[in-house]
Amino acid sequence: MEVNEDRKARINRLKWHCRRALLELDLVFDRFWERHEHDLDAQGEAALESLLELEDHDLWALVSGREVTDDSQQATMIQRLREVSPIANFE
Amino acid sequence: MNLNYTVRKFDAVIVGAGGAGLRAAIQLSEAGYRTAVLTKVFPTRSHTVAAQGGVAASLGNSEEDNWHWHMYDTIKGSDWLGDQDAVEFMCRKANEVVVELEHYGMPFDRLDNGKIYQRPFGGHMSNFGEKPVRRSCAAADRTGHAMLHAMYQRNVKVNTQFFVEWQALDLVRDAEGDVLGVTAMDMETGEIVVFHAKATIFATGGSGRIYYSSTNAFINTGDGLGMAARAGIPLEDMEFWQFHPTGVAGAGVLITEGVRGEGGILRNSAGERFMERYAPNAKDLASRDVVSRAMTTEINEGRGCGPNKDFVLLDITHLPPETIMKRLPGIHEIGIQFAGVDCLKEPLPVVPTCHYQMGGIPTNYLGQVVVPKDGNQSAPVQGFYAAGECACASVHGANRLGTNSLLDLLVFGKSAGETAVSELKSNVKAHKPLPQDSIDRTLARVNRLNHQKDGADVHQTRLAMQRTMQKHAGVFRFKDMLVEGVQRIDEIAGQVAQTQIKDKSQVFNTARIEALELDNLIEVAKATIVSANARTESRGAHVRDDATDTPETPDGRDDKNWLKHTLWYREGNRLDYKPVQMKPMSVDTIELKKRAY
């Protein structure tokens, strides 16, 4: 129970840190959490946390594919961010 | 469950750590006052980061320029709704605040001679509207970001105390109307604290999330406006919102005008190039407002695309792929990421998209929040200041010029800080006693949310508000739609008062934060649609179908009846008006004329 609550608090904190200065990133993270809230493991959490330390323009450069990172954990997370299905929210 | 709270005393509390908040804080901390800055996100992640164009100042580094010309352009841009004293103040102060910023370490682009490089920007002209002038100072395409860094570092140096990841809840205002601080919640613990202050400055940014399609980041939820409205402060000129014609439908991400410049074509559901009917010569390259209006007309008349027929298409499939990839870098990626469309093969879904809020909390050029009181149209509220997009000084009037927003937040952030310092030195020596009833109202609001059963879903209610605002009070406005929209938003406001959250946890409870943000958004939505419904003319960004173009009312602008500022009050959802300040500080009035470029 305590473990679950700890995870929930950690995820909630990460989710809030995904509130960014740029709309593009907000939208990507919004989709990411919809898809991956329940399957994000400790390694993924750590990779995401390190990416969230970046400045918004630098992070968007990675997510949009204009730049690449040497860090393999970060690169895996960037790939997951790029793969979440496009929003296409026209309902 | 009763909520507990603690009290912390500061000389000044500033809500918001974007450009305006950081600039105001420098002023107070440098003067030695204990200053707390509350912010939802880390300061350098404020939405000021998204500002790329630059900051306007008539430095004249590349060619002749002066503040008189800048003032003229700003008033003309505002469609004469800007207060001429505030506009003069801003344009005269521009050079000073830009040079200060340079001294804080801002890495402006340079000329070979070492001076700040300046580039031209829409609406900025030399010699009273004659030809474009180089007035914008920028740091590559990261001007806002560099600005925040420079000012944050300066604040650290002068010991400003930051409270990062705190959600401000309400103004604390006593029976005399004086503002004595804010209540706020620490997101990390859920703890509520009253920040008891002698000066309170709001710098909470814009509220673009009231619209379904908005370029604004998710944090732009009008928190300052909601708090001010609940405390009985009116909101000024909220009918005026700047829209961009081509945001990705359903996402809001901007598609640059360069796409149409390279040959992009707008099409309706029948595949028709509809701009040929609205602007036979310029077609898809007509001005922003003409294109936005045409798009809205197509959608309203049932020729929109998609299952809801609520967007049109921007088609570049006829262009060679190599041209798109070479000349429009980033568009292909944006199409895939945000529209699920490969724009080399399929057209992009686009809609006119909300970008900037011209109205806000009414202030004078000193940054003091002003309200009508005892016959004075602009009586300062003791202890309360506002600056930046959340405030209405009013310099942008009915329409803002590009690069004037960064200038606004520097000039009026500084001005609010300076005025607060001066008040603290001369008039306000001690903290007034905290009014319990004001604090209790906040606690009751949070308690209601924590315990609401069978209430409305926050996400669905926010979506209903955003769709209603987009449809009924968008870029082009229709009488019947506005009337209907007022009623619909009123119904949604009833649901907002009964929102429910399932997650009751204390640590970073994002569901609760989003519900509290919606409390603020709905006040902005009400102010916008009620003000827009009442203003029966067209002016600047507020364009109505039923405002006719006559010799007395060119382009629908009716100076005889509507050259005045709107004031919306939450109590009674009522409106009042006050005159536009047509007298500048030191020069002659810039007389009314038709706004034409």
Side-chain angles (χ1 to χ4, degrees):
Chain A
M1 185 66 185
E2 203 173 286
V3 172
N4 282 343
E5 281 183 8
D6 279 356
R7 181 179 190 274
K8 189 177 162 198
R10 280 201 318 276
I11 294 291
N12 274 353
R13 183 195 304 267
L14 274 176
K15 270 180 159 178
W16 186 255
H17 289 172
C18 290
R19 285 274 203 117
R20 309 301 291 193
L22 301 177
L23 175 67
E24 288 86 342
L25 290 169
D26 280 341
L27 293 166
V28 168
F29 285 125
D30 207 31
R31 293 182 333 217
F32 174 81
W33 286 112
E34 254 176 48
R35 182 72 69 89
H36 292 300
E37 174 159 359
H38 301 290
D39 64 19
L40 189 65
D41 60 14
Q43 207 173 39
E45 277 184 43
L48 184 58
E49 198 161 6
S50 73
L51 284 173
L52 292 173
E53 293 295 316
L54 296 175
E55 302 290 354
D56 290 81
H57 290 295
D58 297 330
L59 184 50
W60 176 239
L62 291 174
V63 174
S64 64
R66 274 185 289 119
E67 305 280 344
V68 290
T69 169
D70 301 337
D71 182 315
S72 64
Q73 301 291 339
Q74 284 191 351
T76 305
M77 179 52 67
I78 290 290
Q79 195 51 39
R80 289 178 83 179
L81 290 170
R82 285 173 62 79
E83 277 168 7
V84 282
S85 65
I87 193 165
N89 183 17
F90 315 135
E91 82 280 359
Chain B
M1 185 185 82
N2 285 323
L3 289 165
N4 296 317
Y5 66 91
T6 52
V7 178
R8 298 188 66 159
K9 277 192 181 181
F10 286 88
D11 291 315
V13 59
I14 297 171
V15 184
L22 290 179
R23 187 62 193 82
I26 290 171
Q27 222 58 32
L28 280 147
S29 294
E30 277 187 345
Y33 290 104
R34 281 193 72 215
T35 304
V37 177
L38 312 187
T39 173
K40 294 201 287 192
V41 296
F42 193 76
T44 51
R45 282 180 211 140
S46 307
H47 194 50
T48 306
V49 165
Q52 299 186 349
V55 50
S58 56
L59 296 168
N61 285 353
S62 297
E63 58 188 317
E64 187 186 358
D65 197 8
N66 64 64
W67 64 262
H68 297 269
W69 297 347
H70 186 187
M71 177 183 170
Y72 174 84
D73 296 337
T74 303
I75 288 166
K76 179 180 172 185
S78 82
D79 220 351
W80 275 266
L81 197 70
D83 285 329
Q84 298 203 6
D85 57 345
V87 177
E88 177 180 337
F89 182 82
M90 180 178 79
C91 297
R92 286 178 72 166
K93 283 274 185 185
N95 295 6
E96 174 187 313
V97 294
V98 165
V99 170
E100 275 169 357
L101 200 57
E102 190 181 20
H103 293 165
Y104 296 158
M106 170 89 173
F108 282 116
D109 296 341
R110 302 277 165 184
L111 293 164
D112 289 342
N113 64 11
K115 288 183 176 177
I116 295 172
Y117 167 80
Q118 297 188 277
R119 59 187 178 202
F121 219 90
H124 290 281
M125 316 283 275
S126 68
N127 204 18
F128 305 101
E130 215 171 79
K131 62 180 172 59
V133 70
R134 294 168 180 270
R135 189 177 286 152
S136 171
C137 314
D141 59 354
R142 293 192 181 190
T143 308
H145 182 251
M147 192 182 264
L148 285 181
H149 266 270
M151 291 200 287
Y152 178 64
Q153 292 306 328
R154 182 76 180 186
N155 270 295
V156 170
K157 199 173 162 191
V158 295
N159 296 321
T160 300
Q161 196 169 343
F162 285 93
F163 290 80
V164 177
E165 290 165 350
W166 282 68
Q167 167 81 37
L169 298 170
D170 276 301
L171 265 185
V172 178
R173 204 174 176 207
D174 71 8
E176 288 170 306
D178 296 356
V179 168
L180 309 177
V182 288
T183 45
M185 182 183 284
D186 182 354
M187 292 183 193
E188 180 146 27
T189 61
E191 179 195 9
I192 293 177
V193 172
V194 178
F195 286 82
H196 192 186
K198 292 182 253 182
T200 302
I201 301 181
F202 273 11
T204 56
S207 331
R209 301 308 305 177
I210 65 168
Y211 285 99
Y212 181 62
S213 192
S214 169
T215 66
N216 285 200
F218 287 5
I219 48 175
N220 288 22
T221 54
D223 298 337
L225 281 76
M227 289 189 278
R230 281 193 297 277
I233 308 282
L235 301 182
E236 180 175 342
D237 292 341
M238 290 306 297
E239 59 271 49
F240 298 100
W241 289 85
Q242 199 163 57
F243 280 71
H244 191 286
T246 53
V248 174
V253 177
L254 274 189
I255 302 281
T256 164
E257 264 144 350
V259 172
R260 280 174 287 134
E262 290 295 338
I265 292 170
L266 289 162
R267 298 189 191 280
N268 61 19
S269 56
E272 181 202 5
R273 183 181 193 178
F274 59 85
M275 283 311 300
E276 287 180 332
R277 278 188 278 117
Y278 297 89
N281 296 320
K283 296 177 187 158
D284 300 279
L285 291 174
S287 66
R288 276 187 188 185
D289 55 336
V290 172
V291 174
S292 291
R293 256 177 270 171
M295 290 165 71
T296 308
T297 304
E298 289 300 297
I299 292 167
N300 283 347
E301 293 181 359
R303 295 186 291 278
C305 307
N308 284 355
K309 297 182 172 295
D310 56 359
F311 57 83
V312 296
L313 298 170
L314 178 56
D315 187 3
I316 50 173
T317 55
H318 54 288
L319 301 178
E322 54 275 19
T323 304
I324 296 172
M325 300 310 275
K326 187 176 161 202
R327 298 225 183 112
L328 303 167
I331 293 303
H332 188 240
E333 178 67 21
I334 283 174
I336 289 171
Q337 282 277 343
F338 301 112
V341 159
D342 178 351
C343 66
L344 305 178
K345 296 174 185 154
E346 291 174 82
L348 293 156
V350 291
V351 285
T353 295
C354 165
H355 189 51
Y356 187 86
Q357 160 196 311
M358 265 75 72
I361 301 165
T363 71
N364 57 22
Y365 63 79
L366 298 171
Q368 296 170 299
V369 175
V370 291
V371 295
K373 192 180 177 186
D374 303 331
N376 179 359
Q377 289 286 352
S378 296
V381 176
Q382 186 63 47
F384 193 25
Y385 310 82
E389 193 170 341
C390 77
C392 181
S394 147
V395 286
H396 309 303
N399 178 57
R400 173 189 67 102
L401 291 190
T403 70
N404 265 354
S405 47
L406 288 184
L407 179 60
D408 169 350
L409 58 82
L410 287 175
V411 169
F412 295 108
K414 179 180 181 184
S415 189
E418 263 182 345
T419 310
V421 165
S422 151
E423 283 287 304
L424 289 174
K425 273 187 184 154
S426 55
N427 296 328
V428 190
K429 300 291 184 196
H431 287 83
K432 281 181 85 179
L434 285 171
Q436 190 59 46
D437 60 337
S438 179
I439 297 165
D440 287 345
R441 276 195 289 277
T442 302
L443 299 179
R445 193 160 67 87
V446 177
N447 237 341
R448 195 283 303 160
L449 180 62
N450 286 344
H451 296 283
Q452 179 75 48
K453 291 195 171 68
D454 303 322
D457 176 82
V458 172
H459 177 72
Q460 291 303 326
T461 311
R462 185 177 59 221
L463 201 57
M465 173 195 71
Q466 290 169 332
R467 286 192 186 281
T468 305
M469 291 303 294
Q470 192 79 27
K471 185 173 170 192
H472 293 266
V475 68
F476 190 27
R477 294 161 178 184
F478 302 83
K479 186 180 174 186
D480 294 346
M481 295 289 280
L482 284 164
V483 171
E484 200 184 303
V486 168
Q487 197 187 339
R488 182 80 190 104
I489 285 293
D490 201 41
E491 290 162 11
I492 294 167
Q495 293 162 22
V496 172
Q498 296 178 5
T499 46
Q500 180 184 353
I501 49 171
K502 292 188 181 113
D503 183 356
K504 313 283 185 188
S505 64
Q506 291 298 314
V507 181
F508 278 99
N509 184 334
T510 48
R512 183 165 57 202
I513 296 162
E514 286 178 11
L516 292 167
E517 288 176 332
L518 183 57
D519 283 355
N520 296 323
L521 282 168
I522 194 67
E523 301 302 339
V524 180
K526 283 193 292 185
T528 298
I529 203 156
V530 170
S531 303
N533 182 43
R535 185 176 286 269
T536 51
E537 65 159 355
S538 290
R539 182 184 299 270
H542 172 69
V543 183
R544 288 180 64 124
D545 174 57
D546 56 343
T548 45
D549 182 18
T550 70
E552 294 76 38
T553 59
D555 291 334
R557 191 180 92 191
D558 179 0
D559 290 325
K560 192 171 157 219
N561 294 302
W562 286 104
L563 185 62
K564 57 188 179 185
H565 295 296
T566 307
L567 294 174
W568 172 84
Y569 289 82
R570 178 176 185 264
E571 195 181 348
N573 212 0
R574 75 183 168 88
L575 296 173
D576 193 3
Y577 293 91
K578 68 174 181 180
V580 175
Q581 176 56 267
M582 295 295 286
K583 195 171 165 19
M585 299 172 78
S586 70
V587 292
D588 291 339
T589 295
I590 293 172
E591 298 294 344
L592 289 162
K593 64 177 180 180
K594 181 174 169 172
R595 187 173 71 119
Y597 289 99

